[in-house]
C-alpha cells in the first residue's frame, strides 16, 4: 500500500526523483500512468488535494509529522479496485542459512495492506518459507555456489541466465523489490542478484535494500548510485560500513544529519533510512527524523518488517513506514515486554495502521 | 539477557572466574570490555551499586533470594542500545532424531530478552527447526556418521575442518554456547562438537552443557575441566552418571549439598545446576538452592528451556534461570494442568520474567 502512494508522493515532492522520471524512457511513463491509474477511486481533484496536503507536511521541522503523512499516503479502500491494485511486492532473499528474514519482510507488506507478496529465494529455503505462511508466493529459483559446484563456467552462466529470465518474467508486475533480507553472502548468488538489480533499474522498479543487500551495494555502490528509486535501510553497523566505504570517514556522534545528507547526495540522491533510537531519513536534499513511539527491544528481524513496509523510493514512504513499525513495536512491547519477538510486532502492524489511519 | 549480567556478576562474585579472567589473555580482556560496554546505560556507580546489592544477596542461607537476584541481573532496557547488545546465543544440537530440544533452548533465550538466537544442527534437522519459528537463525552444518559413510579418513577430516571453520566464523560474536539439546550420540558428530567446545574455550565463550552434551562431557571430562565459564545442567540420571564417573561413588539421599560441591570442585570450578524438586547450584565453593514455584509436571523439554535461559557461567545466572523457569512452569500448570507441554511453559516465560522483574 505504501508502495504506490509513496512512489506517487515521491514524484511530487522529490526533485531528483521527478527530474529523473521526467527525463527517462517510455517504460517510466507506463509505470507512472499505471501508478496513477491505481489511485482509481479518486477524482483528479481529490488526488491533487491530498498531494498538496502531503507536500505541506514536509515543512522545515526536523521531526516529520509522520502520522499525518501515513494518513495522507494510505490508500482509501475502494470496493471497485481489484487484486494487485493495492500493491505487489517481491522480496529477493532467503538462502540455506536464512529463512526468517525474507518471511518477515514479505508478510509485513501483506499485513499493511499490499495485495500480493512474492519471495525469490534458493531451492533449499523455499519449502521452509512456504511453510511459514500460505499467504506468500515463493519462487525457489536462486542458486548458491555449493549447489553448482563442479560445473564449468559456461554451465554456470547458463544457470544465471535462466534465473534472470525467471525473475524478468515477473519484473514488470512488481511495484517494488526488497533486496537483501536473509540473502546471505554467497558470491555466485550475489552476482545473480546484482544482475536482477540492474534489470529492475532498467525497468524503473523501486528497490529497497536491507540486510545482506546492503553488504552487496556497499561493495558495489554503482548498483544503486544515481538511482532515485533506491531506498537503503541500514542499521548502526551497516551505516558505519557504508559511510566508511562511500565517504571514507568514520561515523561520530556529531553532525549526524549532515553526514546522512552527504552520504545520500554522494550516492546520487538515493533515499537512506538510518535506523536507530530515532530513525533519520534523507534523500541528499532534506533530512527528516521520526522519533515517536518505539520500543527498547532489539530482537533480530525488526529491520525486515521495515524493509517490507518501506518499499518505496521516497522520503514520505520511509517516514510512514518508520512510524508504522515504531507504533507496532510499542504496542507489542506494551503487551509482551522483554519477551517481545518480531512475530509479535508483525501481529500489531494492522492495529498500528488502523490506529493512525483508520480504514474507514 | 541473563547471559551478560550473569557473566558480569560472575566476574564480581566468583573468585575462580575472576582469577581466571584476570590471569588470562588479551582475548578475555576484549570479551570483558565488550560485556562491560554492553552495560551501556549505567554509570559506573549505578553498576557498582547493583553488583554490591547482588553480592549481598548471596548471604549464608541455603535458599537463594532468587527473585531479587533475577531483578538485579535483568538489564534495564535502554533505547540507545542496538541489536545484539542484549545477547546473542548459539545452540549446538539437533540431529536426524531430535529437533524439539534445540528449538526449545533457542526460542527460550529470545523469550527472556536475547536479541539473536542461532542453532547449529545437522542438515536433516535444519528445515524442521527453521519451520518451528522464523525467529531463529539455523545453520545446517553438522554431519552424522550415516551421511559420510563410505568416505575415507582424509575426506572425513576435511569435512570436520570445514564444519569447524563454519562455526569459527561466528564464534567471537556469541555471548554463550549451549551444547547438547537434541545433539544425539553419533560418534562422528560428537567428535566435531568436542572440537567446537575446544575452540569456544580458547575464545573464552561461556558454555552451558545439557542433554547429550552431558553424555559427551561425562565421558570426556577434560573438555570442561578447569573451565570456569562452563555450566552443567544435569537432571537426576545425568547427575548420577556424572558422579559415578568423576567421583567414583553413588548418589544417595544424604549429603546432597556436599556431594554437589565436591563434584563441582573436582571438575575444576565449573558451575553445576542440579535439576530436581529443588534446584541445587554450586561452583565448588558455595551451594545454593532454589525451591520457589515449580510444577509437578515433568514433560520432556523443560531442561531445554533452562539451558537456553541459564546461559551464563555463574551461580547467579543459574539461580535466576531456575526461578524464571519454575515460575513459568507453575503459571503454565495453573492453566493447563496435566496437559501442560514445554511450549506452554515457554509461552509463560515472558510473564514470569515480567512478574518478577518488570521491564519498566
Amino acid at each position: 500500500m505504501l508502495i504506490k502512494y509513496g512512489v506517487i508522493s515521491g514524484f511530487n515532492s522529490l526533485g531528483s526523483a521527478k527530474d529523473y522520471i521526467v527525463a527517462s524512457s517510455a517504460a517510466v511513463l507506463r509505470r507512472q500512468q499505471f501508478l496513477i491509474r491505481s489511485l482509481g477511486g479518486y477524482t483528479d481533484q481529490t488526488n491533487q488535494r491530498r498531494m498538496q496536503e502531503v507536500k505541506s507536511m514536509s515543512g522545515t521541522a526536523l521531526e516529520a509529522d509522520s502520522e499525518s503523512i501515513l494518513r495522507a499516503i494510505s490508500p482509501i479502500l475502494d470496493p471497485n479496485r481489484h487484486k494487485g491494485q493495492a500493491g505487489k511486492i517481491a522480496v529477493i532473499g532467503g538462502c540455506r542459512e536464512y529463512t526468517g528474514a525474507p518471511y518477515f519482510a514479505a508478510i509485513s507488506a501483506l499485513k499493511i495492506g499490499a495485495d500480493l507478496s512474492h519471495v525469490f529465494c534458493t531451492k533449499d529455503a523455499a519449502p521452509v518459507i512456504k511453510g511459514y505462511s500460505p499467504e506468500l508466493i515463493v519462487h525457489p529459483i536462486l542458486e548458491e555456489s555449493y549447489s553448482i559446484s563442479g560445473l564449468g563456467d559456461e554451465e554456470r552462466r547458463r544457470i544465471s541466465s535462466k534465473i534472470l529470465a525467471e525473475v524478468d518474467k515477473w519484473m514488470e508486475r512488481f511495484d517494488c523489490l526488497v533486496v537483501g533480507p536473509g540473502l546471505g553472502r554467497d558470491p555466485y548468488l550475489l552476482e545473480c542478484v546484482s544482475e536482477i538489480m540492474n534489470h529492475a533499474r532498467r525497468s524503473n522498479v523501486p528497490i529497497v535494500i536491507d540486510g545482506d543487500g546492503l553488504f552487496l551495494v556497499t561493495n558495489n555502490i554503482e548498483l544503486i548510485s544515481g538511482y532515485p528509486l533506491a531506498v537503503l535501510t541500514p542499521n548502526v553497523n551497516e551505516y558505519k560500513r557504508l559511510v566508511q566505504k562511500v565517504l571514507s570517514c568514520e561515523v561520530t556522534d556529531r553532525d549526524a544529519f549532515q553526514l546522512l545528507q552527504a552520504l545520500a547526495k554522494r550516492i546520487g540522491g538515493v533515499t537512506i533510512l538510518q535506523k536507530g533510537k530515532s530513525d533519520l531519513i534523507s534523500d541528499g536534499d532534506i533530512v527528516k527524523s521520526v522519533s515517536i513511539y518505539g520500543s527498547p527491544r532489539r530482537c533480530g528481524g525488526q529491520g525486515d518488517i521495515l524493509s517490507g513496509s518501506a518499499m518505496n523510493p521516497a522520503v514520505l514512504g520511509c517516514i510512514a513506514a518508520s512510524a508504522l513499525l515504531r507504533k507496532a513495536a510499542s504496542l507489542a512491547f506494551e503487551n509482551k515486554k522483554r519477551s517481545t519477538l518480531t512475530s509479535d510486532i508483525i501481529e500489531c502492524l494492522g492495529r498500528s495502521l488502523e490506529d493512525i489511519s483508520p480504514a474507514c
Side-chain angles (χ1 to χ4, degrees), chain A residues 245-283:
Chain A
K245 192 82 181 189
V246 175
L247 297 178
S248 306
C249 71
E250 297 298 320
V251 175
T252 63
D253 288 341
R254 296 187 320 133
D255 307 327
F257 312 130
Q258 288 86 336
L259 189 67
L260 177 65
Q261 191 175 18
L263 181 66
K265 201 178 205 91
R266 180 72 65 86
I267 310 179
V270 301
T271 298
I272 302 174
L273 193 171
Q274 182 194 358
K275 299 176 283 195
K277 187 183 165 194
S278 293
D279 295 329
L280 292 185
I281 297 140
S282 179
D283 61 349

Side-chain angles (χ1 to χ4, degrees), chain A residues 44-350:
Chain A
D44 275 358
Q45 284 83 348
T46 316
N47 187 33
Q48 278 179 16
R49 200 188 61 240
R50 277 166 62 98
M51 284 308 130
Q52 275 304 328
E53 285 166 15
V54 174
K55 274 197 273 187
S56 70
M57 284 162 201
S58 306
T60 50
L62 181 64
E63 179 71 17
D65 182 1
S66 52
E67 292 191 303
S68 301
I69 287 172
L70 177 55
R71 268 191 292 278
I73 69 172
S74 298
I76 291 167
L77 290 171
D78 178 345
N80 291 314
R81 294 199 186 184
H82 56 78
K83 186 173 75 176
Q85 288 191 312
K88 301 184 288 291
I89 78 139
V91 176
I92 315 285
C95 62
R96 188 164 62 155
E97 252 171 333
Y98 305 112
T99 51
Y103 160 72
F104 287 143
I107 200 78
S108 296
L110 292 179
K111 290 274 185 181
I112 63 160
D115 286 337
L116 291 165
S117 194
H118 293 245
V119 176
F120 291 84
C121 61
T122 68
K123 293 191 171 67
D124 289 335
V128 178
I129 298 172
K130 286 168 188 277
Y132 291 145
S133 168
E135 317 280 351
L136 306 177
I137 300 161
V138 182
H139 306 259
I141 59 157
L142 301 179
E143 300 276 4
E144 290 180 83
S145 300
Y146 80 91
S147 67
I148 54 154
S149 68
L151 298 183
D153 279 359
E154 199 175 324
E155 184 65 5
R156 284 166 179 246
R157 272 195 298 273
R158 201 190 58 77
I159 293 172
S160 299
S161 306
K162 215 176 125 193
I163 293 169
L164 209 59
E166 196 67 39
V167 181
D168 274 349
K169 279 200 307 202
W170 294 88
M171 189 71 86
E172 279 290 327
R173 311 188 203 182
F174 295 133
D175 299 306
C176 182
L177 288 192
V178 181
V179 174
L183 190 60
R185 298 185 175 186
D186 180 77
Y188 181 80
L189 186 146
L190 291 186
E191 219 173 275
C192 279
V193 171
S194 301
E195 275 310 302
I196 292 171
M197 287 175 72
N198 285 332
H199 282 222
R201 197 171 164 165
R202 280 204 287 278
S203 300
N204 290 286
V205 176
I207 311 177
V208 177
I209 297 139
D210 191 44
D212 292 317
L214 288 167
F215 169 82
L216 174 64
V217 303
T218 299
N219 297 313
N220 303 273
I221 205 76
E222 72 283 359
L223 284 171
I224 45 136
S225 187
Y227 186 48
L229 303 183
V231 176
L232 279 57
T233 57
N235 63 21
V236 176
N237 289 322
E238 291 157 346
Y239 184 68
K240 273 184 193 161
R241 284 192 289 267
L242 203 54
V243 167
Q244 281 164 352
K245 192 82 181 189
V246 175
L247 297 178
S248 306
C249 71
E250 297 298 320
V251 175
T252 63
D253 288 341
R254 296 187 320 133
D255 307 327
F257 312 130
Q258 288 86 336
L259 189 67
L260 177 65
Q261 191 175 18
L263 181 66
K265 201 178 205 91
R266 180 72 65 86
I267 310 179
V270 301
T271 298
I272 302 174
L273 193 171
Q274 182 194 358
K275 299 176 283 195
K277 187 183 165 194
S278 293
D279 295 329
L280 292 185
I281 297 140
S282 179
D283 61 349
D285 188 10
I286 61 165
V287 183
K288 286 284 168 186
S289 161
V290 179
S291 47
I292 54 163
Y293 307 114
S295 139
R297 258 301 255 154
R298 294 289 175 267
C299 48
Q302 290 187 64
D304 304 311
I305 299 180
L306 194 66
S307 68
S309 311
M311 21 174 227
N312 88 58
V315 171
L316 294 173
C318 286
I319 291 170
S322 171
L324 197 59
L325 167 59
R326 295 174 73 96
K327 171 122 193 167
S330 113
L331 290 169
F333 186 77
E334 233 169 63
N335 186 24
K336 300 280 188 131
K337 302 291 180 184
R338 285 192 179 90
S339 73
T340 308
L341 303 187
T342 298
S343 305
D344 300 317
I345 300 171
I346 287 174
E347 277 315 300
C348 292
L349 281 173

